[in-house]
Amino acid sequence: MMEVGMAMAMKVLLSLCCVGACSLALYLYHTVWVVPQRLLAGFRRQGIGGPRPSFPYGNIADMREAVAAGKSAPRAGGRIVHDYRPAVLPFYEKWRKEHGPVFTYSMGNAVFLHVSRADVVRDINLCVSLDLGKSSYLKATHEPLFGRGILKSNGEACAHQRKIIAPEFFLDKVKGMVDLMVDSAQTLVESWEARVDKSGGTLDIKIDDDIRAYSADVISRTCFGSSYVKGKKIFLKLRELQKAVSKPNVLAEMTGLRFFPTKKNRQAWGLHKQVHRLILEIVKESGEDKNLLRAILHSASSNKVGLREAENFIVDNCKSIYFAGYESTAVTAAWCLMLLGLHPEWQDRVRQEVLHVCGGRPLDSQSLHKMKNLTMVIQETLRLYPAGAFVSRMALEELKLGGVHIPKGVNIYIPVSTMHLDPKLWGPDAKEFNPARFSHARPQLHSYLPFGAGARTCLGQGFATAELKILISLIISKVCAQPLAALSPFPSTASSTTTY
Ligand code: HEM
């Protein structure tokens, strides 16, 4: 009797397992294939095409294939061409040729609308609705890096964070930070001068790490009231964390495997904990200086939330600022110096301008404002080598932009370089370095996106521009920049681009 009962129980258990497995398979099939197919069909009805995805990874295999083919394609014979797209993102170029400037593709169950048509981009720029948010693609994988900080938040949470952070980067606040920035840049240039003197007059300097240290020092001192020495560990851990979460794991994202204690996940969680602890240490030691950190702390303490939530709010937003302001400025400075090295006529112009404007006096906010040639050089650098490869958005509700119906849940990606190198917008010399194009009013206003677009545009734009002008003007007034073009046309810092 007992044995019959056991056998029955086993049968019921097995049947339940079978039903569970079948339901899970059906659920996965529905979310990974049926839902994305429905979204894609909606675009096809509007005449928007794109490469055919395959189950379950979408177009990821096509992307890998195009990159492999690109690697074996002939290069431009040592000539520097200011267009990294065929080498880095060849699949987008191929699809754009096949399907036009607006097309779809998918990665796993995430559907993307790739947009490089000026009217759609303009509408994205002008859209202030909270229904247009940041893309949540790989949000879970990137959680240890960004948490719920401003870079990835949406809706009311984001509006609240922007309200706290934006005033700390208003023009008058940035003016008050100029002396600290000059001090950091001077330390860097003096260290180079000492090295050059020691070597007898000329020296090859690999600038990447030094420029990163400058950018980190500036953020640490101006925003957090601590020196780079204290902030250094945070930056190093954040870079490690960025590397740990940078390889997209679409399967983990779709299936929930991201919660499993795999080796990679444990590494990311460990680094996240360390950064969390380091930031709270800086908070404990922070003084009464009025800076960004104080504004974030004030907001956390006036929100009636528990200690843990308040701590997470502080840490996630500090991490976002450390991340947003560090690499992007260093990458831009490296590209700018390389371009000036390649174009000695512009280097001379900038040098003469700096000497004329400063006349031997220390740099201040007024002199920065007068440096028109340097401003144009930085604008042109950001056009040719934007630090953010894409402006990424997501339709949080159904939207209509530039006449295109975009269903809820679709990721919208604007390829910044494609907008910046479009000869229809910038003329036949779009791929050439010509800062003079910024000397007159720009008809391409909505298609120039180095600092992003519209309601989510970069909050540190004025801060970054001041920081870059100070660094470049001090370097150029003392040093003659020459890239080791024959050896390496690209600064290694600059080889990384980010999607915010
Ligand atoms: C040359 C340097 C920089 C470049 C090229 C740059 C570029 C960008 C881009 C492309 C975005 C995304 C905008 C969008 O999605 O529309 C962004 C966002 C942001 N940046 Fe920057 N950035 C730079 C420096 C900085 C600095 C120095 C800070 C602060 C210290 C900063 C703070 C932010 C913040 C807080 C956001 C998030 C805004 C939001 O999501 O609402 N950035 N930046």
Side-chain angles (χ1 to χ4, degrees), residues 10 16 69 79-80 132 165 207 231 240 246 262 265 354 380 382 428 435 439 474 478 500:
M10 280 302 284
L16 282 176
R79 198 164 47 86
I80 294 178
L132 183 65
I165 296 172
I207 60 172
E240 261 185 78
S246 65
T262 57
N265 283 347
V354 173
E380 182 70 340
L382 284 164
S439 61
L474 270 181
K478 307 246 169 129
Y500 290 88

Side-chain angles (χ1 to χ4, degrees), residues 134 149-153 158 162 165 169 215 219 222-224 292 317 320-333 378 382 385-393 416 449-461 463-465 467-468 498-500:
K134 288 298 261 205
I150 185 166
L151 287 174
K152 295 287 165 185
S153 64
C158 168
R162 278 187 78 96
I165 296 172
F169 292 111
S215 146
I219 299 181
T222 54
C223 301
F224 299 98
L292 176 67
N317 280 297
S320 293
I321 298 296
Y322 277 124
F323 182 84
Y326 168 52
E327 192 86 0
S328 46
T329 317
V331 166
T332 307
I378 291 172
L382 284 164
Y385 297 102
F390 297 95
V391 170
S392 72
R393 294 287 184 271
V416 178
L449 306 161
F451 292 105
R456 296 301 294 267
T457 193
C458 172
L459 287 176
Q461 181 167 347
F463 177 95
T465 308
E467 198 184 350
L468 284 167
T498 316
T499 300
Y500 290 88

Side-chain angles (χ1 to χ4, degrees), residues 317-445:
N317 280 297
C318 290
K319 256 195 315 191
S320 293
I321 298 296
Y322 277 124
F323 182 84
Y326 168 52
E327 192 86 0
S328 46
T329 317
V331 166
T332 307
W335 280 121
C336 188
L337 287 169
M338 190 203 76
L339 287 166
L340 285 173
L342 288 173
H343 297 274
E345 71 288 6
W346 276 98
Q347 192 179 144
D348 276 349
R349 263 205 219 192
V350 170
R351 186 172 296 115
Q352 292 313 320
E353 179 178 73
V354 173
L355 296 176
H356 173 73
V357 166
C358 293
R361 292 178 301 278
L363 279 172
D364 58 22
S365 56
Q366 274 190 0
S367 48
L368 291 183
H369 182 69
K370 288 182 193 154
M371 293 179 191
K372 304 289 179 211
N373 282 307
L374 180 54
T375 307
M376 293 192 298
V377 165
I378 291 172
Q379 286 172 321
E380 182 70 340
T381 304
L382 284 164
R383 186 184 71 85
L384 291 173
Y385 297 102
F390 297 95
V391 170
S392 72
R393 294 287 184 271
M394 180 177 240
L396 304 175
E397 292 297 334
E398 185 171 332
L399 289 166
K400 190 175 177 190
L401 298 165
V404 181
H405 280 282
I406 306 172
K408 181 178 171 177
V410 169
N411 297 280
I412 307 161
Y413 268 43
I414 307 173
V416 178
S417 277
T418 300
M419 300 307 295
H420 286 186
L421 298 179
D422 186 345
K424 282 204 263 354
L425 295 165
W426 300 92
D429 68 344
K431 290 184 187 170
E432 280 159 37
F433 177 76
N434 175 19
R437 72 177 83 244
F438 285 96
S439 61
H440 35 261
R442 277 173 294 126
Q444 320 82 352
L445 186 67

